[in-house]
């Protein structure tokens, strides 16, 4: 579906789908209520919310809404009147919004506005009709040059609860088109205003705009909406206004970024969107990839996987063509990245294999453990990832150090002769994303920010700075809590920093049991840290530890990751989403796993199955994760949730001292039909606590 940019639209079309002068919402309002049409009411102004509330209560008792309708007609008959009613009193401005002083004059009386919106649903349908007609007739003039006064008016209109109804979406769409067409300077003002909303109000509007997009894409009742040819512009307008809310949320977080996902977009042709986004000839045409915050992590994963598959197919096709041209027998193994490793030499074999097959990293991965049975349909590959990660992150391996306070690993310093191994870890992460494998890797969030800095490796990589992100002491607090909090205490210290601490612009770092001193800036050893320059010291301190000190190690890691995942699709992802794709979710809910489990030879109400779930649901999380690792090859949950595991429990008859087994490539647990609960529990614990190795029994 092609969506036009709002900048190329003709003047304001009729709002009714039939070409009339009213919207479906306006027409429907009078159908649903028995009250007669109101006569033209005289203009009314209420000084404050208490007067309005009293008028509404009186109207509800008398069913005479003339006075309230007069207030509505006056308030919404012009931008000037709307501003007059909801403008904040001078002495209230900074109480309502914490905005820069040069923008305070654009404030509104938020208390009055909130009360008005709370009272609006209590008013009669005829009053609602009056309000909607006023908006249509007086506030949607696209020929008017926008002014600062319009920003306040749009701020008020966006919050109207009447727009919750899908029947009012034609009017809301016109409001959104005008908001999206405002100059950039006014957008900045509106973003400041939106950041002042409470989380509940903020998300209510976001959800409303998401619903409009979904209704226009997949209308539940198409006959209630204008024809698509005349209303496709709704979607670009709504998404562009959503981008203002996203900007406000980024500056003053109200809701998790995932709340901006429009999940109905999971069902559109995502690759067509992605292809259009990459085509320079369609840069002026709207596509959802221009606004990646609305694409769910599942949608982005679909794009990344399909892009990966296309790259894999192209590479495999090229190799097959070359074999045919050289009159060689096509080798199906050449379609895959085949890694053959020994368990006893896991890291060195993996390094050698990857070094020899750098040009094949974009093929589908298959791993063989030499000397072991098992055709790789996923199980050995998943086990290779898990064992390699476990080995590399051991303290004695000397590549990563665990910060016990944060639970995160960080790169060791002082040793740069093992850069190839850091490159391997990057390749490992890239292969995991590329092959939809989740890894149990505990890096702090700033690591994934660095991994996307930049998101695409520059063509001239030798001259480029890679893996360096703008990080702060807040990032350091997450990665190294004790050190980060110490720097924050220094920032808040009320005494004399210079006299009481005696610090200079240098840092001491322990490397291989020895302490080494680095200057944080040229001549830093002679520059004292004072109350005036401590912010600079704190910033340089955090930047040095998270960027400069590990630059070579992280650069190798970065290049390893991007040697596999080089794709424009990475531009669509947030650092948090990269982390989810690599690591999955650690939140394990056995009750959810029980709901999606399939059975072969068992029924859900069989005593063995009842005992099984009763036992595992009572285990500690650590033991539950070992069960998941034993059965699926990973102890984490995919991005798409438990349903993507395809977990199955299969029945076999117990023989001798037979333990439970698993086919990790199929996510199957082979559970013997033990006679009693005690035997089941003991056998299960022995199996999951002593399992390593892959074989199909």
């Amino acid at each position: 579906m092609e969506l036009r940019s709002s900048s190329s639209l003709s003047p304001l079309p009729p709002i009714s789908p039939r070409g009339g002068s009213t919207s479906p919402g306006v027409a429907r309002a009078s159908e649903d209520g028995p009250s007669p049409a109101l006569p033209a009411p005289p203009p009314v102004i209420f000084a404050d919310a208490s007067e309005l509330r009293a008028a509404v209560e009186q109207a509800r008792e008398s069913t005479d809404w003339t006075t309230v309708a007069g207030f509505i007609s006056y308030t919404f008959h012009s931008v000037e009147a709307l501003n007059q009613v909801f403008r904040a009193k001078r002495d209230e401005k900074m109480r309502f919004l914490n905005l820069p002083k040069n923008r305070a004059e654009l404030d509104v009386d938020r208390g009055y506005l909130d009360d008005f919106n709370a009272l609006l649903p209590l008013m009669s349908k005829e009053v609602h009709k009056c309000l909607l007609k006023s908006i249509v007739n007086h506030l949607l003039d696209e020929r008017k040059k926008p002014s600062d006064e319009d920003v306040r008016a749009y701020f008020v209109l966006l919050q109207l609860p009447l727009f919750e109804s899908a029947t009012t979406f034609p009017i809301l769409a016109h409001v959104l088109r005008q908001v999206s067409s405002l100059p950039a300077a006014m957008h900045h003002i509106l973003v400041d205003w939106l950041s002042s909303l409470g989380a509940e109000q903020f998300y209510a509007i976001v959800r409303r705009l998401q619903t409009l997009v979904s209704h226009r894409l997949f209308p539940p009742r198409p006959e209630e909406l204008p024809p698509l040819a005349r209303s496709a512009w709704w979607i670009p307008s709504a998404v562009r206004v959503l981008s203002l809310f996203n900007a406000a949320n980024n500056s003053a977080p109200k809701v998790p970024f995932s709340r901006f996902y429009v999940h109905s977009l999971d069902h559109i042709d995502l690759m067509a969107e992605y292809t259009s986004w990459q085509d320079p000839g369609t840069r002026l045409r709207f596509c959802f990839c221009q606004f990646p915050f609305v694409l769910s992590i599942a949608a982005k994963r679909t794009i990344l996987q399909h892009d990966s598959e296309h790259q894999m197919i192209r590479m495999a096709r090229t190799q097959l063509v070359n074999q045919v041209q050289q009159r060689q027998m096509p080798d199906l193994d050449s379609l895959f990245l085949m890694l053959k490793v020994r368990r006893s030499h896991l890291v060195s074999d993996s390094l050698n294999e990857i070094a020899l097959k750098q040009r094949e990293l974009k093929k589908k991965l298959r791993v063989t453990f030499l000397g072991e049975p098992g055709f790789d349909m996923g199980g050995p590959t998943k086990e290779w990832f898990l064992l390699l990660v476990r080995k590399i992150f051991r303290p004695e391996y000397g590549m990563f150090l665990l910060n016990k306070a944060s639970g995160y690993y960080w790169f060791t310093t002082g040793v740069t002769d093992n850069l190839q191994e850091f490159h391997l870890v990057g390749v490992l992460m890239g292969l995991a994303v590329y092959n939809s494998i989740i890894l149990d890797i505990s890096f702090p969030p700033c690591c994934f920010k660095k991994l996307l800095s930049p998101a695409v490796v520059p063509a001239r990589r030798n001259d480029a700075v890679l893996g360096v992100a703008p990080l702060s002491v807040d990032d350091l607090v997450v990665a190294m809590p004790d050190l980060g909090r110490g720097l924050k205490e220094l920032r808040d210290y009320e005494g004399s920093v210079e006299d009481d601490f005696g610090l200079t612009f240098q840092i001491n770092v322990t490397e291989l049991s020895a302490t080494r001193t680095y200057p944080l800036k040229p001549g830093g050893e002679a520059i004292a840290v004072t109350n005036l320059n401590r912010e600079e010291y704190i910033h340089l301190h955090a930047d040095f530890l998270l960027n400069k000190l590990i630059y070579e190690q992280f650069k190798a890691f970065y290049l390893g990751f991007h040697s596999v995942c080089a794709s424009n699709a990475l531009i669509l992802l947030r650092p948090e989403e990269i982390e989810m794709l690599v690591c999955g979710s650690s939140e394990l809910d056995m009750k959810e796993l029980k709901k999606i489990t399939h059975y072969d030879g068992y029924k859900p109400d069989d005593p063995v199955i009842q005992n099984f779930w009763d036992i595992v649901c009572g285990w500690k999380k650590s033991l539950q994760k070992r069960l998941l690792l034993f059965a699926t090859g990973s102890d984490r949950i995919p991005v798409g949730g438990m349903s993507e595991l395809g977990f199955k429990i299969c029945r076999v008859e117990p023989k001798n001292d037979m333990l439970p087994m698993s086919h990790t490539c199929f996510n199957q647990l082979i559970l013997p039909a033990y006679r009693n609960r005690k035997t089941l529990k003991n056998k299960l614990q022995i199996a999951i606590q002593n399992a390593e190795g892959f074989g199909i029994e």
Side-chain angles (χ1 to χ4, degrees):
M1 175 174 129
E2 181 176 323
L3 303 173
R4 295 178 295 163
S5 170
S6 60
S7 60
S8 62
L9 294 171
S10 57
L12 191 68
I15 294 178
S16 170
R18 298 177 178 81
S21 59
T22 60
S23 75
V26 174
R28 188 176 294 272
S30 62
E31 295 171 4
D32 295 339
S35 57
L38 293 170
V44 175
I45 300 178
F46 296 119
D48 53 36
S50 61
E51 291 187 8
L52 173 60
R53 187 179 297 105
V56 170
E57 291 173 356
Q58 182 177 353
R60 284 169 62 85
E61 293 177 2
S62 66
T63 68
D64 181 3
W65 291 90
T66 305
T67 300
V68 176
F71 169 74
I72 295 292
S73 295
Y74 174 78
T75 301
F76 291 90
H77 90 280
S78 69
V79 170
E80 292 74 21
L82 193 65
N83 282 304
Q84 177 188 354
V85 171
F86 291 114
R87 191 190 306 272
K89 297 180 177 62
R90 286 285 173 180
D91 59 350
E92 293 177 326
K93 286 180 179 176
M94 298 316 292
R95 179 168 66 87
F96 290 113
L97 289 179
N98 185 22
L99 294 177
K101 293 183 178 180
N102 63 328
R103 292 182 183 171
E105 68 270 19
L106 296 175
D107 196 8
V108 298
D109 186 336
R110 288 290 308 281
Y112 195 176
L113 178 59
D114 290 346
D115 286 339
F116 171 79
N117 286 329
L119 291 168
L120 191 57
L122 304 178
M123 301 179 191
S124 73
K125 296 185 188 303
E126 289 301 323
V127 173
H128 294 169
K129 176 180 176 180
C130 178
L131 188 153
L132 293 169
K133 277 189 172 180
S134 295
I135 294 174
V136 172
N137 295 332
H138 304 297
L139 299 180
L140 297 179
D141 185 0
E142 291 192 337
R143 296 165 297 182
K144 175 187 173 185
K145 183 178 180 181
S147 66
D148 288 348
E149 296 293 295
D150 291 292
V151 178
R152 185 185 294 106
Y154 292 133
F155 182 69
V156 172
L157 293 178
L158 286 172
Q159 296 182 64
L160 291 178
L162 289 188
F163 289 136
E164 288 289 341
S165 171
T167 58
T168 64
F169 282 174
I171 302 176
L172 175 60
H174 283 79
V175 173
L176 298 177
R177 181 162 77 169
Q178 294 193 202
V179 172
S180 68
S181 300
L182 290 172
M186 294 183 185
H187 279 163
H188 286 302
I189 294 173
L190 189 56
V191 166
D192 281 337
W193 282 50
L194 296 175
S195 65
S196 74
L197 292 172
E200 186 175 343
Q201 289 176 302
F202 184 90
Y203 184 55
I205 305 173
V206 169
R207 189 173 58 245
R208 191 178 305 154
L209 303 189
Q210 292 171 324
T211 304
L212 184 147
V213 171
S214 298
H215 270 62
R216 181 59 281 177
L217 280 173
F218 305 104
R221 290 180 291 275
E223 67 278 2
E224 292 189 356
L225 297 180
L228 183 60
R230 290 173 46 205
S231 59
W233 56 268
W234 288 19
I235 295 173
S237 298
V239 173
R240 289 188 174 101
V241 176
L242 273 172
S243 71
L244 301 180
F245 281 84
N246 183 58
N249 196 58
N250 288 337
S251 63
K254 304 288 181 185
V255 297
F257 67 87
S258 58
R259 291 287 186 91
F260 282 88
Y261 292 162
V262 181
H263 290 283
S264 60
L265 300 181
D266 295 354
H267 307 291
I268 67 173
D269 189 342
L270 292 167
M271 290 312 295
E273 287 286 319
Y274 179 64
T275 302
S276 175
W277 173 62
Q278 293 191 101
D279 184 358
T282 60
R283 289 281 172 85
L284 298 179
R285 186 187 306 164
F286 172 86
C287 69
F288 289 107
C289 289
Q290 296 166 342
F291 304 90
F293 62 88
V294 298
L295 297 174
S296 71
I297 182 64
K300 291 170 184 172
R301 183 183 60 173
T302 297
I303 292 173
L304 192 62
Q305 287 179 338
H306 285 188
D307 190 43
S308 300
E309 289 169 4
H310 291 168
Q311 294 184 48
M312 290 178 186
I313 291 170
R314 284 197 298 269
M315 182 165 292
R317 183 188 296 125
T318 299
Q319 190 158 351
L320 283 175
V321 169
N322 290 338
Q323 289 177 342
V324 171
Q325 288 175 343
Q326 296 172 15
R327 298 184 179 181
Q328 297 176 356
M329 181 67 69
D331 180 9
L332 292 181
D333 283 349
S334 67
L335 299 175
F336 300 92
L337 169 60
M338 303 291 294
L339 301 183
K340 298 180 180 180
V341 298
R342 296 166 294 175
R343 287 186 183 274
S344 57
H345 298 76
L346 188 65
V347 176
S348 59
D349 283 1
S350 299
L351 274 173
N352 293 335
E353 286 281 271
I354 287 173
L356 290 172
K357 300 174 181 178
Q358 281 290 317
R359 295 185 178 183
E360 301 179 37
L361 294 179
K362 292 185 181 295
K363 295 180 181 179
K364 187 70 175 176
L365 176 63
R366 280 188 177 175
V367 175
T368 299
F369 287 103
L370 295 176
E372 296 185 20
F375 179 70
D376 187 6
M377 297 184 68
T381 293
K382 288 193 286 186
E383 190 180 12
W384 175 75
F385 277 109
L386 287 163
L387 295 178
L388 197 55
V389 166
R390 189 184 306 169
K391 185 110 176 174
I392 287 175
F393 280 80
R394 285 177 180 167
E396 60 268 22
Y397 213 75
M399 290 181 63
F400 300 97
L401 293 176
L402 176 66
N403 186 294
K404 294 181 179 179
S406 67
Y408 290 121
Y409 285 93
W410 195 242
F411 297 74
T412 56
T413 63
V415 179
T416 57
D417 58 356
N418 60 344
L419 295 183
Q420 188 181 13
E421 294 175 351
F422 285 107
H423 185 272
L424 171 64
V425 180
V427 170
L428 192 69
M429 282 181 54
L431 288 173
V433 172
Y434 214 51
N435 291 271
S436 302
I437 302 291
I438 51 177
L439 301 179
D440 188 8
I441 292 180
S442 297
F443 283 133
C446 64
C447 177
F448 299 94
K449 295 179 185 178
K450 289 164 66 64
L451 209 53
L452 290 180
S453 300
V456 176
V457 182
R460 300 180 61 183
R461 66 175 63 180
N462 292 334
D463 301 329
V465 176
L466 304 175
V468 174
L471 303 176
S472 69
V473 68
D474 292 328
D475 297 291
L476 190 64
V477 168
V478 176
M480 308 171 191
D482 296 338
L483 185 54
R485 283 195 290 264
L487 290 174
K488 281 196 167 186
E489 290 173 3
L490 177 67
R491 183 175 60 190
D492 299 334
Y493 187 69
E494 296 181 356
S496 171
V497 171
E498 182 176 8
D499 294 340
D500 296 344
F501 291 94
L503 298 172
T504 58
F505 274 74
Q506 55 185 0
I507 183 173
N508 296 323
V509 178
T510 301
E511 297 176 349
L512 301 177
S513 302
T515 300
R516 184 174 176 183
T517 301
Y518 295 91
L520 294 176
K521 59 191 296 188
E525 64 278 1
I527 303 174
V529 179
T530 67
N531 292 55
L532 295 177
N533 64 16
R534 59 182 166 183
E535 281 291 348
E536 180 189 11
Y537 172 80
I538 292 169
H539 169 74
L540 292 176
H541 201 118
D543 180 66
F544 184 83
L545 290 175
L546 300 178
N547 283 319
K548 293 186 174 65
L549 185 61
I550 60 162
Y551 179 75
E552 293 300 330
Q553 294 92 323
F554 197 90
K555 181 180 178 181
F557 173 75
Y558 171 95
L559 290 173
F561 178 82
H562 286 270
S563 69
V564 184
C565 282
S567 170
N568 287 336
L570 289 177
I571 300 173
L572 304 176
L573 292 161
R574 296 172 60 102
E576 300 93 332
E577 292 170 328
I578 287 284
E579 182 177 6
M580 290 177 66
L581 287 175
V582 172
C583 304
S585 172
S586 60
E587 296 299 320
L588 178 58
D589 187 341
M590 279 297 176
K591 293 181 180 178
E592 287 298 315
L593 182 62
K594 180 180 178 181
K595 290 179 183 177
I596 60 93
T597 298
H598 300 280
Y599 300 95
D600 183 0
Y602 284 117
K603 294 180 181 179
D605 56 353
D606 285 344
V608 174
I609 297 301
Q610 295 285 334
N611 286 333
F612 172 82
W613 288 115
D614 189 38
I615 291 167
V616 300
C617 287
W619 279 347
K620 295 180 179 179
K621 289 293 182 183
S622 58
L623 204 54
Q624 290 176 347
K625 286 192 171 186
R626 287 201 66 89
L627 171 65
L628 194 66
L629 174 63
F630 173 75
T632 70
S634 173
D635 63 357
R636 299 173 75 88
I637 307 304
V639 167
M642 286 285 193
S643 60
E644 293 192 357
L645 282 176
F647 185 59
K648 180 184 283 189
I649 299 178
C650 302
R651 175 178 179 139
V652 294
E653 291 302 322
K655 297 179 182 179
N656 300 325
D657 292 329
M658 185 178 182
L659 295 173
M661 299 179 295
S662 65
H663 297 330
T664 56
C665 53
F666 301 114
N667 292 342
Q668 291 181 356
L669 174 66
I670 312 302
L671 185 65
Y674 297 115
R675 294 182 179 181
N676 57 65
R677 175 191 172 98
K678 181 179 180 181
T679 302
L680 170 61
K681 183 176 182 179
N682 291 338
K683 298 289 188 181
L684 198 57
Q685 287 183 331
I686 292 171
I688 67 175
Q689 291 176 338
N690 296 276
E692 184 174 306
F694 180 84
I696 296 179
E697 299 293 332

